[in-house]
Structure formats: structure tokens, C-alpha cells
Amino acid sequence: MLLLLLAYLGGVLTLLSPCILPVLPFVFARADRPFLRSTLPLLLGMALTFTVVASLAAVGSQWVAQANQIGRWVALVLMAVFAIALLWPTLADHLLAPFQRIGARLSARADAADAAGRGGAGTSLLIGIATGLLWAPCAGPILGLVLTGAALNGASVGTSSLLLAYALGAVTALALAVWVGGRVFRALQARLGLGNVVRRVLGVAALLAVVAIGLGWDTGLLTRLSAVSTARIEQGLLDAVPDAQPAAPPMMMMAAGQAGAPLPVEGTLPSLSGATGWLNSPPLTAEQLRGKVVLIDFWTYSCINCLRAMPFVHEWAQRYRDHGLVVVGVHTPEFAFERDPRNVMKAVQQLKVEYPVALDNQYAIWRAFNNRYWPAHYFIDAQGNIRGHQFGEGNYAHSEQVIRRLLVEAGQTDLPPPADPAAADLQGVATQADMGNLRSPETYLGHARAEQFASPGGQRADTAFGYALPSTLALNQWGLSGQWRVDDEAAQLQQAGGRIAFQFHARDLHLVLAPGEDGTPVRFRVLLDGKPLPAADAGADVAADGTGTVNEHRLYQLIRQRGTIGPHRFEIEFLDAGVQAYAFTFG
């Protein structure tokens, strides 16, 4: 219920977002007509279309995404006809005869129906459905939460309900705006006789909106021109609700039980039969694991949080494997390349993972646990009961204590002493984050979840486009230069010489990268504040001269500062075409 309320409030805040501007002319064009027969059906049509398309697209149905792009262009044509009908109703009737049932009927005939006190609802609903195809809300924290949850948990009544709640929140805010606008329009018509003028002004605004949407300004330029940002308000709402976040930030710890307190039973170990493959072991079942203490570790190999937690999991696996502990890694992919068993097998070898790993490419085990986090640790006793959990990094000593208590319950009496987390030998990406200086969040480059993109014109989805970097970037803004094609997960460079820039504040900067589709390595060089990267600040994947090569699908550590930490402008230039860039992470 709290998440539904959050989604609804996020939709209400859409009214303060610049991304609502392109559809306002179509909504206000009917503000002077009866609410129940005109405005309400229009708004409900918008909400319905947005909910259906977003629900399907969020779970990865590529054909739906393509169909939505076609639908947007069809809707643009319909709305252009609608705008012309607003400007010149008589001309629309004569010149647009083929569109009589589409264009003129969307305006002139609806006016006649309203004037006669009948109908109008079907016309308004059709306009609302078309407008819903043009509506691209800004992906703020709350909408990002909803879409991420839909992508991870699959199509369900719950995810669609959250999207509908978001859409209804926006509808509520728009209805209030239309109510105010309608009163203004009626006052103008009654006192100044400006009805036709207002109608033509709205027609011009609708045509300008069609142009703005067609050029992509509705998802790019308008966001940066906004004087009001709702992101901070939305993030505050999320922070106020426990368990609302879709993924645990590094500092978030939620371990069940306190030291010495009884460990509750949180459920039973679900089936592992949904795994699409196994590494380091034949397939395991819940029945086979009965009698053992089990640690289930949800991870994915390009996740920096997982990589920082992994040395501790390795330590527990080795320390207690002869005392009845079985560690099972469940590799649930975030990006498409992490679904390739060859990539996972290579990562398992490089990371020296020796315990069994279940490949959860279909999210079957993830859903069986109702999990939402990377990393996530579930502690299972010898009877197959879930007795504790840890979401996110940290709290390692407590997690080990839970393991030891479950081993003692299972009859183990000669346990080795617990490990000292402070004495762990952590190197490279495994070094724990500098939380005191971490002010930059994980940031995705694919258009499905991109935020804070600052290149002029915004992102152009699924098409090659020549981007340019702005001269200055605010903290946590980023941009592209050169020819890039941005799909829902990543940005792919089309020509050599392209760059990515990010204004960040953190000790470490990582970027998830992949070589070209044919596997050809891509050379790069890193700049910091416009100068070659100092050798002292080079990350594990960068040479002393600031250069490196992308030859695998994985996370690359590009910067690790050794001195005073402050805000810096990071730039990476790719000397070859084909690189795919997925996400920034920091530490």
C-alpha cells in the first residue's frame, strides 16, 4: 500500500516536471468543455495507454517497444490534424476529408456533441489514448523504482498497479490544472469574447508540441530547461518509506536479528529448479541441501556492491566448508551480456569462485525468494528454514555470527575462530567504498533508466546521433560526444573518437563496458579535469599513462584517487568504434 501511495505521489509531482509540457496543449484544448464527458475520458485514456505500454515495455518486450515508437508517430499525425482542426475547423472539414473520422471528428464534431449535450466521451477517450502514446514522463527516482521493479519482477498485477497508480497521480494533477485553466478560459470567453483567439492559440501550442515531440525535445531539452526539479522531493519520499528502494546502496544493511537474540524463521528454502544452468557443481535441490547450513548469495558479476562483498563470502565458504556450510551463488543478471554463460564462466574463473553457482537467467530463483537486491544473502538452517538475511554490503561480522549460530544449532562444536573483517586483504575493486566522500550515485547510460543526461538535445533512443558535450556539468550530470546509438541498456559508439564525461565526487569511478559486438578490443584514454589522468589516480584497469583497453564484458575501475577527494570532471575518449557503455558506479 505504501508503494502504491508513493507511485501516486510521484505521478502528482509530474505536474511540476517539464516533461508534461508537450502534452498540456492537447489537455487544455478541452478545458472549456464538460469535465465528465470531455476532460475525464481524455485523462483516463492517457493513464490507460501509459500503464499498458510501460508495463509491457518494462519487462523487455522488444516488439512492444517498437510498436510504441510506431504508435507515437501515428499519434503525432493524429495530433497534428487535431491542431489544424483547432486552428481552422472549416478548412479541416474540406481539406482533410480522408481524416474526417480521425482529425475533424476529434475537434469539430466533438464540439457539436458537447454543445448538444450529448456524447463527447468517446472522442475524448480517443484523444487521451493518442496523447498517452506521446506522453514520456521524466524518469525520476519514483518512476525509476517502479520501472526497475517491473523489469526485475516480471509482468504482474502488482507492477501494473504501481504504474497505474503513477499515471492516476499525474491524471489527478492534470485534472486540477484543467479545472483552473477551464475557469480562466470561460472567463476570457465571457468577458472578452476571445473564444476563437484562445482556440487558435491552443492550436498553435498543439502544433508546437507535435514539433517538440517529433524532435525529441520532450525527453531531452525540456528536462534541462526546468527551473523546478522534483527529484529531491521524490528521493525524500522514498527515503521516508522503509524497503522502498529497488536496490540497496552500499551503506544499506538489513540483517535479521541482533546479536544474542533468537533467529526467527522467515520462510523455507524455495526450489532451485528454475536455474538455467550450474557452474562448479551438478544441479542442486533444496532436498539435497537439507541437513546443511546454506548461504544463498544473489550476485551479478558487473555489480560493484557484489564485488566488494565477495571476498567475505569466499572467506566464509573456505572457513566453514568442512563444518557443514554450503555456499550457493545465484547469478541473476542485470545486463544482457551477463546472461551469456561463457561470460559468467570467465568471471567465475577470474574471481576465483569455487562454490556452486546457479545461473538464474530467467529470474526464477530471484522471484521464488521475492528478492530485490544485489547482493543479498539468505541464511538457511539445517532444516531448510530461512533464519536471516543481509541486503547490501557491510555488516560482515554479524553475518558470520549468524552462520556460526546455525552451525552450532546443527551440532557443530569445533568451529574455527571467526574472521576479522578489518584484517581482510582487499585489493582493486574489492576495496570497500569511501563512504565519507561518496556523493555520486550509480548512473545508467541506456535510455530506459538514464538520469542527469546533459548533452544538448537529450538522448535519441535507438538511433545513431551526433552528440556534443556541454562546456560545464553540474555534479552528477554526464554527457556524450561523437556518434552514439543509445538503446535501453547501453550506449554504443558508432565512430572512433567518441567521449563520455561525468562530473563526480567519489574516491573511485567505475564504468561497465563491453567491446564491439564482434569482440574487437577498444582502446581508450582517461582525462581528469581536462588533463591526462595522473598515474597516482589511475584505477586498476588503467595504465600509468591513462590508457587502457576494453576487451571483456565487465566492470572497469578507471579512477582510484590517492589524495584529497573532491568534485572532478571525468572524461574517457575511445580511440576505436564499437564500445558499449552501460553504467557508472562509484566507491
Side-chain angles (χ1 to χ4, degrees), residues 64-154:
V64 172
Q66 293 172 351
N68 188 40
Q69 290 300 315
I70 296 172
R72 280 174 64 86
W73 285 108
V74 172
L76 281 174
V77 173
L78 294 180
M79 289 311 195
V81 174
F82 171 56
I84 293 173
L86 282 172
L87 285 169
W88 303 290
T90 304
L91 182 63
D93 287 340
H94 289 88
L95 299 183
L96 303 177
F99 298 98
Q100 189 66 32
R101 292 189 176 183
I102 300 174
R105 187 174 180 181
L106 288 177
S107 179
R109 293 192 178 180
D111 291 344
D114 289 334
R118 56 178 173 78
T123 299
S124 296
L125 181 64
L126 180 58
I127 295 174
I129 290 173
T131 306
L133 290 171
L134 303 179
W135 183 29
C138 293
I142 290 178
L143 184 56
L145 163 68
V146 176
L147 292 175
T148 300
L152 296 182
N153 297 318

Side-chain angles (χ1 to χ4, degrees), residues 492-582:
Q492 183 173 30
L493 182 61
Q494 307 297 296
Q495 297 177 358
R499 293 192 180 199
I500 307 174
F502 195 113
Q503 187 74 18
F504 77 104
H505 189 138
R507 183 194 66 198
D508 304 335
L509 181 146
H510 315 95
L511 186 54
V512 178
L513 297 167
E517 293 178 352
D518 59 356
T520 303
V522 176
R523 299 167 298 154
F524 65 80
R525 68 186 185 104
V526 175
L527 304 174
L528 195 63
D529 297 325
K531 301 176 182 178
L533 179 68
D537 294 330
D541 294 297
V542 180
D545 62 354
T547 63
T549 303
V550 179
N551 50 21
E552 298 175 314
H553 297 69
R554 63 177 176 87
L555 178 143
Y556 289 76
Q557 185 183 80
L558 302 177
I559 290 180
R560 165 156 288 167
Q561 300 179 74
R562 270 76 178 184
T564 302
I565 311 302
H568 294 286
R569 179 173 173 135
F570 160 86
E571 290 190 35
I572 182 169
E573 179 183 14
F574 298 99
L575 308 182
D576 305 295
V579 72
Q580 301 170 75
Y582 290 83

Side-chain angles (χ1 to χ4, degrees), residues 25 28 37 48 106 114 125 196 201 216 254 271 334 340 348 355 418 429 438 440 443 445 477 510 518-519 567:
F28 277 114
R37 292 200 310 274
L48 178 63
L106 288 177
D114 289 334
L125 181 64
N196 289 333
V201 168
M254 291 180 285
S271 171
E334 181 175 16
D340 188 335
V348 164
Y355 45 81
V429 296
L438 183 55
S440 291
T443 301
L445 277 66
Q477 283 188 329
H510 315 95
D518 59 356

